[in-house]
Amino acid sequence: MEQYNVTGMSCAACSARVEKAVSGLPGVKSCSVNLLTNSMGVEGTAAPEEIIAAVEHAGYGAALKGAESVQSAPQEDQLADRATPVLKKRLIASLGFMIVLMYFSMGHMWGFPMPHSLEENPVALGLIQLLLSAIVMVINQKFFISGFKGALHGAPNMDTLVSMGAAAAFLYSTASLFYMSHLQALGQMEEAHTLVHEFYFESAAMILTLITVGKMLEARSKGKTTDALKSLMKLAPKTATVVRGGQEIAVPIEQVRKGDIFVVRAGENIPVDGVIIEGEAAVDESALTGESIPVDKAAGDGVSAATVNQSGFLRCEATRVGQDTTLSQIIRMVSDAAATKAPIAKIADKVSGVFVPVVISIAVVTTVVWLLIGQTVGFALARGISVLVISCPCALGLATPVAIMVGNGKGAKNGILFKTAVSLEETGKIDTVVLDKTGTITEGQPAVTDICPAAEGAAEKELLTIALALEQKSEHPLAGAIVAKAKELGIAPSDVEQFKVLPGNGLTAVLNGKVLLGGSLSYIASQISVQPQWQAKAEALAEQGKTPLLFAYDGVLQGIIAVADVIREDSPEAIRQLQHMGIRVVMLTGDNPRTANAIGKQAGVDEVIAGVLPDGKESTIRRLQKRGKVAMVGDGINDAPALTRADMGIAIGAGADVAVDAADIVLMKSRLSDVPAAIRLSRSTLRIIHENLFWAFFYNAIGIPLAAGVFIHILGWQMNPMFGAAAMSLSSFCVVSNALRLNLIDLYNPKNDRKIHHKNKKQEEITMEKTMHIQGMMCGHCEARVKKTLEALEQVESAVVSHESGTAVVTLKADISNEALKAAVEAQDYTVTSID
């Protein structure tokens, strides 16, 4: 998608006009214009020159965004708040003349003395008001230039409404002044004095001044919505210390190239992504991940730009520079998400496209109707002007994008990256969250969980010392867990001889002239006598989803060390929070059902689907989607098909690799608690959008009839055009300020979570599952045979079969007895041992 900067837009009608103009070009697949960031994203084959020409023909300006590094100053300048200082100067100048104008126009009503010469000469008083209001109009000439330019291009905007209202008040007042001078020349002083009440010079000037107040407040608030993005851009250091010719020299960040060697001392920011080739340090990665605890880094570990070396000296090789760094990818992802449109914004866009012409028509009709029922020209014109200036298409146009921008920024600060506005809106509507077991619910690395010495009174260290002597030479992941535990306890390895890896899950070696054995219960039991209580202990550990490793020395059992992929510390609480939100949590794994059920029970998930190979995860997600919207949480690599198939793909623990193509949401940290946090943020953002849209529609639905005078005869309510302008100026400010409340939300506080039950016909369908444990399946052909047999049954919707785990997960569309399922499979010469 090509990104463009668009100039000249002032309201939602402008963005709708630009979008319509570009979308009509041949070759343009989609076009999304963002009023908040004055940017446009275009997807398709149309040439940039054609797109820019279409925007200019519509009366606006456009330029292709530069390809400079996201870390460089021009990118920060694009988000700089240039509007507020300009509007502030305009406002101060307008107020200065406005106060003087109000004195001459309404000072006598407030008890201020008026020069006697002016009291006797109403024409002179009118001329002073005309000059002062004309000065205010010149100061705020941008409203007129933008408004009439839009009208000439057939695209009237908010500035058109404002300029028409101010111009109508000024021209009517000027006409009244000429008529007054004519009466004064004829000596009809009493009639001339009465025409003073027909002056609306102060209304013309006040309309422009109040709108400028609103524009300034809006610009200031809009500037705050991009604070998160600007703070990210400021993180990257401007220089780096690189080693060239054996010398350390400081160079601008733009001159660092891939392969350069750079050094980082304690307290300095890491300039680009790289890999450590020398040194150790504690690195603060909170700027990218939101994780406050520093991460220990050593040679071979990766480092990212904008993180801080808190202690130690590092010599690194640059691996990713410029726009390829992790920081640049995050900035690009956040800004691209802001440039997309949420589906909920479509209704506001449709209304904005016809809003201004409709309002102008209502204003004309209002004026004509009041004239027809006998009111004065001044009264009728005041009602028409009030309609023009109270109407606010901006509130409609800003309702969604400001909330999306703030929500994206809030997520980025906490290491939660939404790729599009759609993902930010839709995440909160999820019915089921599917969690991959390994690396998502669990740590993804085996660790020692139990150390059980066989000899009474023996120390755990003794058993670990024997186990370490055997396992230190093994390359198996389970051996790595034992070695890591021994290292943690400061146990030194002993040298062994004749080390062998034996078939049947066993290891053997000679230690001090005696045979040392290690391995599974079945292997050790085949080599030595294992007492029943230790057999029972090993089986009990296996039931808990752990792998028991038995060790024997000189023919005597030394004990059991259990190893398992342990559950992450925050996983049970994160799953509990998801369930409290009304979301069903499913664990998906390729593990055998016994291990999977043990982990699922510890984690507290609602359902465990075991024995599913990577290529079967996608079909499982498709099946779960029949109950409602599904989010898949995985590592973004082997889970890519499932992440793509799910309604919302969430890649967890992306770390430095944030460009996960298959995912809709990227979680920088390996913390499952970020999943409920992302849903919480989505729901809060959607609630803010609903509030903003309600306010925008409600304001216009009430304000326009009130300004038109509908309630004058009913309730006696009559609106002065100045109050209409004040209301309009505050409406956009209210919408933007409401969106900024998202910054106050604690994403990790479940206190205000509510269960949301989405009314979905799919969810109402009753789906049953049964897991069959089958013996005798040896290959993929066996799987296909069992699958075909089960799916041939009328009551079975689908079956996921795995010969490796010996299971068949059967999804039913109608009730069927276990006996019928068993009979169907056993008719194919397989044995069904149990059905869950």
Side-chain angles (χ1 to χ4, degrees):
M1 179 181 282
E2 293 282 359
Q3 295 288 330
Y4 296 80
N5 291 317
V6 182
T7 57
M9 296 191 298
S10 61
C11 71
C14 298
S15 58
R17 171 73 176 175
V18 172
E19 198 166 298
K20 185 177 179 182
V22 175
S23 296
L25 289 174
V28 173
K29 290 182 180 178
S30 67
C31 173
S32 176
V33 179
N34 191 312
L35 177 64
L36 178 65
T37 55
N38 290 315
S39 62
M40 173 176 67
V42 181
E43 191 175 342
T45 57
E49 295 78 16
E50 294 177 352
I51 292 168
I52 292 169
V55 175
E56 290 174 348
H57 183 70
Y60 306 91
L64 194 63
K65 285 190 179 180
E68 65 270 12
S69 169
V70 186
Q71 295 178 2
S72 62
Q75 286 288 337
E76 289 183 44
D77 289 346
Q78 287 175 8
L79 292 177
D81 184 7
R82 298 187 187 87
T84 302
V86 174
L87 288 165
K88 190 176 181 181
K89 288 178 183 176
R90 271 172 50 186
L91 178 60
I92 291 170
S94 299
L95 282 172
F97 289 101
M98 190 68 225
I99 291 168
V100 180
L101 174 58
M102 293 301 289
Y103 166 73
F104 284 111
S105 63
M106 305 181 78
H108 61 285
M109 297 181 186
W110 300 334
F112 291 107
M114 191 72 62
H116 183 69
S117 57
L118 291 178
E119 286 184 350
E120 296 299 321
N121 190 347
V123 173
L125 185 64
L127 281 170
I128 292 172
Q129 292 182 37
L130 182 147
L131 288 171
L132 289 169
S133 62
I135 292 170
V136 174
M137 292 171 78
V138 171
I139 292 170
N140 294 283
Q141 61 184 284
K142 191 175 179 184
F143 288 123
F144 295 93
I145 294 169
S146 171
F148 287 113
K149 186 189 285 186
L152 288 173
H153 282 90
N157 52 35
M158 190 201 81
D159 290 344
T160 307
L161 298 177
V162 173
S163 55
M164 283 181 67
F170 182 81
L171 292 174
Y172 176 74
S173 303
T174 303
S176 298
L177 178 59
F178 275 103
Y179 185 55
M180 177 191 285
S181 63
H182 172 68
L183 292 175
Q184 189 169 324
L186 294 175
Q188 299 176 11
M189 296 302 295
E190 191 174 333
E191 289 83 352
H193 273 288
T194 59
L195 285 176
V196 170
H197 301 294
E198 295 296 310
F199 288 165
Y200 286 94
F201 289 118
E202 78 286 351
S203 290
M206 185 63 85
I207 287 168
L208 297 172
T209 304
L210 288 172
I211 299 298
T212 303
V213 172
K215 283 278 187 183
M216 191 192 77
L217 292 172
E218 179 188 324
R220 195 170 177 182
S221 299
K222 280 163 70 176
K224 288 181 180 178
T225 64
T226 56
D227 280 353
L229 204 51
K230 285 184 279 194
S231 64
L232 280 173
M233 289 177 175
K234 289 175 183 174
L235 288 173
K238 301 294 182 281
T239 60
T241 304
V242 299
V243 179
R244 288 181 182 166
Q247 299 288 321
E248 292 183 10
I249 57 171
V251 299
I253 198 74
E254 294 82 9
Q255 293 182 19
V256 180
R257 298 289 175 261
K258 186 176 179 181
D260 279 354
I261 304 300
F262 63 91
V263 297
V264 188
R265 290 176 171 80
E268 293 180 350
N269 280 30
I270 293 168
V272 296
D273 289 7
V275 62
I276 299 172
I277 55 178
E278 181 188 331
E280 294 182 356
V283 178
D284 179 5
E285 297 183 334
S286 59
L288 301 184
T289 66
E291 187 63 68
S292 58
I293 301 171
V295 180
D296 291 328
K297 300 279 187 178
D301 293 335
V303 291
S304 299
T307 56
V308 182
N309 177 9
Q310 290 195 334
S311 64
F313 174 86
L314 295 177
R315 184 183 293 268
C316 311
E317 180 184 344
T319 56
R320 291 195 287 195
V321 299
Q323 289 197 32
D324 295 329
T325 65
T326 302
L327 175 66
S328 297
Q329 290 183 51
I330 292 172
I331 292 169
R332 188 160 58 248
M333 194 177 289
V334 174
S335 58
D336 285 354
T340 61
K341 274 201 175 153
I344 198 170
K346 290 178 181 176
I347 184 168
D349 288 346
K350 287 180 181 178
V351 174
S352 298
V354 297
F355 187 87
V356 175
V358 168
V359 168
I360 293 172
S361 302
I362 293 172
V364 171
V365 169
T366 297
T367 305
V368 171
V369 168
W370 281 113
L371 287 172
L372 290 175
I373 60 177
Q375 287 291 348
T376 64
V377 174
F379 180 91
L381 196 60
R383 304 288 74 74
I385 292 169
S386 296
V387 170
L388 288 174
V389 298
I390 200 171
S391 308
C392 190
C394 272
L396 276 174
L398 290 171
T400 301
V402 289
I404 294 295
M405 175 61 87
V406 178
N408 267 308
K410 178 75 173 177
K413 282 183 178 179
N414 289 277
I416 302 169
L417 305 178
F418 294 90
K419 282 192 172 180
T420 62
V422 176
S423 60
L424 181 54
E425 179 185 332
E426 295 296 318
T427 302
K429 301 176 183 177
I430 291 300
D431 299 298
T432 303
V433 169
V434 178
L435 304 173
D436 182 45
K437 180 184 80 71
T438 306
T440 302
I441 293 177
T442 65
E443 292 285 356
Q445 294 291 335
V448 172
T449 58
D450 302 84
I451 303 174
C452 310
E456 192 173 337
E460 292 183 354
K461 274 193 172 184
E462 293 177 22
L463 175 58
L464 261 177
T465 302
I466 291 172
L468 175 62
L470 187 61
E471 299 286 2
Q472 64 178 319
K473 292 191 176 183
S474 172
E475 296 179 356
H476 196 282
L478 299 182
I482 292 174
V483 171
K485 184 67 176 179
K487 185 179 179 182
E488 180 188 323
L489 297 176
I491 299 172
S494 305
D495 291 330
V496 295
E497 300 171 341
Q498 301 176 33
F499 174 81
K500 291 180 185 177
V501 179
L502 303 173
N505 298 323
L507 300 174
T508 182
V510 175
L511 175 65
N512 299 327
K514 298 175 182 177
V515 177
L516 179 60
L517 300 171
S520 64
L521 172 62
S522 58
Y523 169 71
I524 298 298
S526 69
Q527 303 296 315
I528 66 168
S529 174
V530 179
Q531 294 176 339
Q533 68 265 30
W534 288 104
Q535 290 188 24
K537 179 70 174 176
E539 289 169 0
L541 289 168
E543 285 293 331
Q544 296 171 29
K546 301 171 183 177
T547 302
L549 300 174
L550 284 71
F551 294 90
Y553 183 54
D554 195 23
V556 179
L557 181 69
Q558 299 298 306
I560 301 175
I561 296 178
V563 178
D565 184 5
V566 295
I567 290 180
R568 292 185 190 276
E569 190 178 338
D570 68 328
S571 290
E573 174 60 20
I575 290 166
R576 190 194 65 77
Q577 289 183 17
L578 288 169
Q579 291 165 336
H580 185 64
M581 290 175 171
I583 295 169
R584 188 165 175 268
V585 183
V586 176
M587 188 182 86
L588 193 61
T589 178
D591 275 355
N592 64 74
R594 186 169 68 173
T595 301
N597 286 326
I599 296 291
K601 187 176 181 182
Q602 291 176 50
V605 299
D606 296 303
E607 181 183 354
V608 175
I609 301 177
V612 182
L613 298 177
D615 57 353
K617 289 182 179 180
E618 188 266 350
S619 58
T620 305
I621 294 294
R622 191 188 299 121
R623 175 170 53 79
L624 290 171
Q625 283 175 321
K626 293 177 181 178
R627 302 175 182 172
K629 292 192 174 183
V630 175
M632 171 69 192
V633 185
D635 58 18
I637 302 168
N638 61 345
D639 296 316
L643 289 169
T644 306
R645 165 60 61 183
D647 298 286
M648 202 57 55
I650 303 175
I652 192 170
D657 186 19
V658 297
V660 183
D661 294 333
D664 302 290
I665 302 168
V666 177
L667 306 181
M668 297 291 288
K669 293 168 284 189
S670 296
R671 281 197 336 205
L672 197 58
S673 56
D674 282 346
V675 176
I679 293 171
R680 212 168 276 128
L681 178 57
S682 171
R683 288 183 178 181
S684 298
T685 303
L686 195 58
R687 186 176 68 250
I688 292 289
I689 291 172
H690 284 150
E691 290 170 3
N692 282 351
L693 287 173
F694 172 78
W695 164 252
F697 281 111
F698 175 78
Y699 163 82
N700 285 295
I702 296 297
I704 292 174
L706 180 62
V710 171
F711 302 108
I712 289 176
H713 294 304
I714 303 171
L715 300 170
W717 293 353
Q718 182 175 322
M719 178 173 283
N720 187 295
M722 289 186 286
F723 290 111
M728 180 189 190
S729 68
L730 288 173
S731 61
S732 296
F733 173 67
C734 290
V735 164
V736 178
S737 299
N738 188 45
L740 289 172
R741 289 195 303 117
L742 279 169
N743 285 319
L744 305 176
I745 293 169
D746 183 357
L747 297 184
Y748 299 95
N749 186 353
K751 187 173 70 172
N752 297 319
D753 288 346
R754 291 181 298 114
K755 286 192 176 183
I756 296 179
H757 299 286
H758 304 291
K759 292 182 179 179
N760 192 327
K761 191 175 180 181
K762 292 179 182 178
Q763 201 175 15
E764 294 169 7
E765 295 177 7
I766 299 172
T767 307
M768 295 173 60
E769 277 184 359
K770 293 187 178 184
T771 302
M772 305 178 68
H773 301 279
I774 305 169
Q775 290 183 349
M777 295 191 295
M778 305 297 291
C779 62
H781 294 292
C782 298
E783 285 182 4
R785 189 174 174 187
V786 172
K787 181 179 174 70
K788 184 178 180 181
T789 300
L790 288 170
E791 291 182 347
L793 297 171
E794 188 180 342
Q795 299 91 336
V796 175
E797 185 172 293
S798 64
V800 179
V801 185
S802 169
H803 75 275
E804 291 183 347
S805 61
T807 60
V809 180
V810 185
T811 303
L812 306 174
K813 52 188 174 184
D815 193 23
I816 185 173
S817 67
N818 290 350
E819 290 74 18
L821 290 171
K822 184 177 180 180
V825 173
E826 292 189 339
Q828 302 299 319
D829 298 325
Y830 300 103
T831 303
V832 178
T833 57
S834 64
I835 300 178
D836 299 334

